[in-house]
């Protein structure tokens, strides 16, 4: 789980650095812990990962994206976590959601 959350945060930091101005460089990390599982949401002002990109990684394998510029981290997260999805937010952006049972 730690590796997946790290990957999501690093990707968000890079997106915010390259796509946002200094006044709009927000990154949000939310963690919900219950007796059954841990759920993490990561979102950023850049909104660099589209819902379509994240959903397309649900069916791909590492061999499919090995030579692509990006996207391997999403496959890693999908393999390590029990669930990986896109959560629409009220402001029109998306959060990357991931869950792991305890």
């Amino acid at each position: 789980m730690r590796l997946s959350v790290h990957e999501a945060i690093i990707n968000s930091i890079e997106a915010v650095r390259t796509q946002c101005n200094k006044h709009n460089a927000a990154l949000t990390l939310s963690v919900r812990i219950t007796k059954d599982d841990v759920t993490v949401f990561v979102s950023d002002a850049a909104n660099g990962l589209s819902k379509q990109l994240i959903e397309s990684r649900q069916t791909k394998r590492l061999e499919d994206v090995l030579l692509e510029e990006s996207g391997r981290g999403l496959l890693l997260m999908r393999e390590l976590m029990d669930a990986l999805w896109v959560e629409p937010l009220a402001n029109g952006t998306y959060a990357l959601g991931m869950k792991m049972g305890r």
Side-chain angles (χ1 to χ4, degrees):
M1 177 175 213
R2 190 178 316 163
L3 182 58
S4 294
V5 173
H6 179 265
E7 180 70 23
I9 291 171
I10 292 299
N11 288 346
S12 284
I13 290 171
E14 184 62 28
V16 167
R17 280 187 185 159
T18 60
Q19 299 175 26
C20 295
N21 64 42
K22 291 180 181 178
H23 303 312
N24 194 25
L27 174 118
T28 303
L29 173 68
S30 172
V31 180
R32 182 175 58 224
I33 301 171
T34 68
K35 67 178 183 139
D36 297 323
D37 53 49
V38 177
T39 304
V40 177
F41 293 99
V42 178
S43 64
D44 57 61
N47 205 29
L49 291 175
S50 69
K51 181 178 179 181
Q52 294 79 18
L53 174 67
I54 295 170
E55 288 176 347
S56 76
R57 293 303 189 251
Q58 299 294 342
T59 58
K60 291 193 176 189
R61 298 172 306 168
L62 184 58
E63 299 85 36
D64 298 329
V65 297
L66 200 53
L67 299 177
E68 290 184 15
E69 190 173 316
S70 63
R72 292 176 298 279
L74 288 170
L75 289 177
L76 176 67
M77 286 183 253
R78 185 189 77 198
E79 291 300 315
L80 295 174
M81 302 303 289
D82 292 331
L84 182 71
W85 70 94
V86 178
E87 186 82 20
L89 302 175
N91 63 2
T93 63
Y94 296 95
L96 178 63
M98 58 186 91
K99 182 182 286 191
M100 179 174 276
R102 293 185 71 185

